[in-house]
Amino acid sequence: MTSATTNLRKDPMTSMLEARTIMKARAHDHRRFRRGGAGGPIILILLFIIFAALGVILVVADGQLGQQQINQSPPPGSVEGNMAQQANWTAAPIVNFIASTGRTPDDAEGAKLLQSLTGMTQPKYFPPTPAEDGKPSYRKTKKGFEILFTVPEGKDVVCTFSAAGAYEGATGLGSFTEEDDAAENPLEDAPR
């Protein structure tokens, strides 16, 4: 027999007190474990915050690395952007004429100015422009001038410039616009 059972047989009051003391000690131990239960969720929240911050840092660093690579070797331009560059390169002698004289050259002067480009190598663009192999010609308009790229196997491209020589855009018209009009808007001229 154990000492606890021996005590119960000896004195029931003493054994009851001992049993209560044992029960209180067990209950006290049980409450102590319950009070410490907040540490786990706090650690999980801290880990979540650390991983989220690390993720943000990695995304920002990757974006900066990508931008640095783009700056070192830029991607090819758009067709429209390349068309504007080609038109501005072609119109450079005319723009220089406007800057030095203060007036837009007439058709004969503009044609001579464009002939000065024949000895120069035309830049190549990627993606290629619709006017890449076109032969440029000049025409003075009421509001500026136009350069027409006659393309052997495709639709001709008209590039419009202001009187100051600023590029205004390109259209795929088959010929120059009327002298007293800017580039015609096909939506406005559509039958109703």
Side-chain angles (χ1 to χ4, degrees), residues 54-104:
L54 183 61
V56 168
I57 290 170
L58 289 175
V59 167
V60 169
D62 184 49
Q64 289 175 347
L65 179 65
Q67 185 62 45
Q68 186 179 26
Q69 289 173 348
I70 288 172
N71 292 343
Q72 289 174 353
S73 60
S78 67
V79 173
E80 294 83 6
N82 290 344
M83 185 67 231
Q85 288 182 9
Q86 183 176 5
N88 283 324
W89 179 85
T90 305
I94 297 165
V95 173
N96 292 337
F97 180 88
I98 294 170
S100 64
T101 63
R103 66 177 182 85
T104 307

Side-chain angles (χ1 to χ4, degrees), residues 26-133:
R26 285 184 184 167
H28 180 68
D29 287 344
H30 185 64
R31 278 183 270 152
R32 182 176 63 204
F33 288 122
R34 284 185 170 207
R35 270 189 254 143
I42 290 174
I43 291 173
L44 287 175
I45 290 170
L46 288 175
L47 285 174
F48 177 74
I49 291 171
I50 290 170
F51 283 124
L54 183 61
V56 168
I57 290 170
L58 289 175
V59 167
V60 169
D62 184 49
Q64 289 175 347
L65 179 65
Q67 185 62 45
Q68 186 179 26
Q69 289 173 348
I70 288 172
N71 292 343
Q72 289 174 353
S73 60
S78 67
V79 173
E80 294 83 6
N82 290 344
M83 185 67 231
Q85 288 182 9
Q86 183 176 5
N88 283 324
W89 179 85
T90 305
I94 297 165
V95 173
N96 292 337
F97 180 88
I98 294 170
S100 64
T101 63
R103 66 177 182 85
T104 307
D106 62 15
D107 290 346
E109 291 172 326
K112 280 185 183 179
L113 290 169
L114 286 182
Q115 285 179 356
S116 69
L117 296 174
T118 55
M120 303 173 89
T121 304
Q122 182 176 350
K124 296 289 182 186
Y125 300 100
F126 182 78
T129 68
E132 184 172 45
D133 297 326

Side-chain angles (χ1 to χ4, degrees), residues 146-159:
E146 295 174 332
I147 294 181
L148 171 69
F149 291 94
T150 306
V151 182
E153 296 179 12
K155 198 170 192 180
D156 295 343
V157 178
V158 178
C159 297

